[in-house]
Amino acid sequence: MNMQELKQLIYKGEKVDIECKEAESNVPRSAYESYSAFANTKGGYIILGVKEDKKKRLPKERFMIQGIQNAKKQVEDLWNTINSSKVNRNILKDEDVLIVEEFGVSLIVIKVPRADYKMRLIYVGENPYKGTFKRNNEGDYHATEHEIRGMIRDQNPDGNDGMILEYYAMDDIDKETLRKYRQIFEIRNDGHVWNALDDKSFLEKLGGYRKDRREGKEGLTLAEGWVQPELIEDTALNQVTLYLKMISEHGEQSTKKIAEKSAESAEKSAETQETSLSERQKQILACMELEVLYKTEEIAEKIGLKGPRTRQLLNELVAMGRLTCTAATKNRRYIRIE
């Protein structure tokens, strides 16, 4: 980068990715705050040797190139500080710090990359809750406790699926929702060894319940194995848009979270199911009395259909929540519940 290119950058004015500092004889502390802010947001340029007159509006009048003294000494001080305990982590490379000179005027340009999520948060001093900064159009600001906790949580290389939810245990699970989920799982995975497990062991196999022996705790996790969501971040608006694809890793439609049950969605689902029932499914429901056990063969005889096709229709109705069934695969019985 030469001085002409640098001037073009300066005269764009301070934006979300540009910060100018006067720094006549020393690197100011605020430069390290900007380092933290850029690293924790989307990266940017810190330019030392430019004075800002906030009373002026035109960029060429507002930003005055003054230059700095002892540029090499300031660069040396910068590296010493970045690599000391005054900043928790150095993410800069040699080529990220430049001295740009023209006609005896020297400026220092620091190109701060965005820190990898595994390395965030970047903070000044020894207390992350006091020394962590982020960036917006108005400049650097202290990160909130919520933002800091979010960055710490996101350091987990395995994502948040396996994170244990504090204060939640098996008693917090809606048992009816879990029962219906297990029925769906059993229908789709007939004969699977997990079908014989108790609820807690079943959830452990799914990743919905986990023990952390190192931390000495256990409990429900954020777990369901969905396709990785698409995350779009707009730091200018301080807004993050998360697109969740309701498809599992195996290409099947995802089930709802076991720990939650939405009455509203359940009502809508019931209405949709009623209109989407096939004539054969309606015929089956019509011939079954409530709370009475039926064999597949009995239903097949009533509706005049072969056993395998009848069994398929019955299992579809179980998945819809219109029927329930006994757990055993052999000699299974079906019950109309509504």
Side-chain angles (χ1 to χ4, degrees):
M1 179 181 292
N2 57 39
M3 186 62 77
Q4 187 61 34
E5 293 170 332
L6 185 53
K7 285 181 179 179
Q8 291 177 359
L9 195 63
I10 293 170
Y11 293 145
K12 288 181 178 179
E14 284 192 340
K15 296 185 177 180
V16 70
D17 59 350
I18 301 172
E19 178 69 31
C20 296
K21 306 288 185 184
E22 191 169 348
E24 185 176 354
S25 57
N26 296 291
V27 179
R29 175 182 171 81
S30 61
Y32 301 108
E33 295 174 356
S34 295
Y35 164 76
S36 166
F38 284 137
N40 291 326
T41 311
K42 297 191 75 172
Y45 291 90
I46 303 171
I47 303 171
L48 305 183
V50 179
K51 183 177 181 179
E52 179 182 6
D53 185 350
K54 295 185 178 180
K55 296 179 181 179
K56 303 290 179 64
R57 291 189 175 183
L58 294 177
K60 289 190 177 181
E61 295 178 356
R62 183 179 182 121
F63 298 98
M64 297 169 284
I65 298 177
Q66 291 186 320
I68 58 174
Q69 301 174 9
N70 305 317
K72 291 184 179 179
K73 176 65 165 58
Q74 289 206 45
V75 168
E76 183 181 343
D77 291 343
L78 172 71
W79 283 119
N80 288 338
T81 301
I82 289 291
N83 289 306
S84 73
S85 60
K86 294 181 180 178
V87 177
N88 75 310
R89 183 174 287 118
N90 173 27
I91 61 169
L92 299 179
K93 300 177 182 178
D94 289 343
E95 57 267 28
D96 292 327
V97 181
L98 304 174
I99 297 176
V100 180
E101 297 178 315
E102 184 181 72
F103 306 126
V105 176
S106 299
L107 300 178
I108 295 176
V109 181
I110 307 165
K111 183 181 179 182
V112 183
R114 182 182 190 181
D116 183 88
Y117 74 94
K118 296 178 183 178
M119 303 181 73
R120 293 197 292 267
L121 43 109
I122 304 296
Y123 57 91
V124 180
E126 298 180 356
N127 188 337
Y129 291 95
K130 292 183 178 180
T132 300
F133 293 82
K134 292 201 75 176
R135 185 80 178 176
N136 60 21
N137 277 329
E138 297 177 358
D140 306 328
Y141 69 92
H142 275 99
T144 65
E145 182 174 342
H146 177 73
E147 290 173 318
I148 292 169
R149 290 186 181 277
M151 285 187 277
I152 293 173
R153 182 180 63 244
D154 291 343
Q155 290 176 353
N156 183 356
D158 298 323
N160 299 324
D161 280 1
M163 187 175 76
I164 295 176
L165 291 167
E166 291 188 90
Y167 314 118
Y168 285 87
M170 290 297 296
D171 292 340
D172 295 297
I173 290 180
D174 186 275
K175 292 181 174 57
E176 180 64 14
T177 303
L178 178 57
R179 183 187 68 80
K180 289 182 178 180
Y181 176 81
R182 294 203 64 170
Q183 287 181 347
I184 294 171
F185 182 91
E186 185 174 344
I187 290 168
R188 294 180 178 176
N189 302 274
D190 193 16
H192 198 289
V193 292
W194 292 1
N195 292 333
L197 298 175
D198 59 56
D199 287 344
K200 182 178 176 182
S201 300
F202 178 75
L203 288 177
E204 283 186 278
K205 293 294 186 182
L206 287 177
Y209 192 97
R210 187 170 71 87
K211 296 178 181 179
D212 189 329
R213 300 188 186 281
R214 185 179 64 180
E215 296 289 334
K217 60 183 181 181
E218 63 179 78
L220 300 174
T221 72
L222 289 179
E224 289 318 27
W226 289 356
V227 171
Q228 184 173 356
E230 182 180 359
L231 191 66
I232 299 177
E233 182 177 8
D234 188 337
T235 54
L237 297 177
N238 196 26
Q239 174 178 296
V240 174
T241 304
L242 179 65
Y243 291 97
L244 288 174
K245 299 178 181 179
M246 304 297 284
I247 302 294
S248 74
E249 290 178 340
H250 304 292
E252 298 176 338
Q253 185 172 353
S254 169
T255 59
K256 295 179 183 177
K257 292 180 181 178
I258 293 176
E260 298 178 353
K261 185 177 181 181
S262 169
E264 181 180 356
S265 63
E267 290 175 4
K268 290 181 179 178
S269 176
E271 292 173 1
T272 302
Q273 288 176 9
E274 192 64 41
T275 57
S276 62
L277 287 174
S278 69
E279 291 303 316
R280 283 294 192 183
Q281 289 169 338
K282 291 177 182 178
Q283 190 179 2
I284 289 174
L285 292 175
C287 75
M288 296 179 70
E289 296 183 18
L290 289 174
E291 306 299 335
V292 176
L293 294 172
Y294 291 90
K295 295 180 180 180
T296 300
E297 293 76 12
E298 291 174 326
I299 300 297
E301 184 177 353
K302 286 177 179 290
I303 64 175
L305 204 63
K306 292 183 178 180
R309 174 57 179 155
T310 302
R311 184 178 295 107
Q312 181 183 1
L313 290 168
L314 289 168
N315 288 337
E316 288 173 357
L317 288 168
V318 171
M320 289 176 163
R322 304 302 299 269
L323 302 180
T324 186
C325 61
T326 58
T329 301
K330 188 176 182 180
N331 296 323
R332 176 176 289 174
R333 303 292 192 277
Y334 295 89
I335 311 167
R336 182 182 168 189
I337 57 177
E338 58 180 37

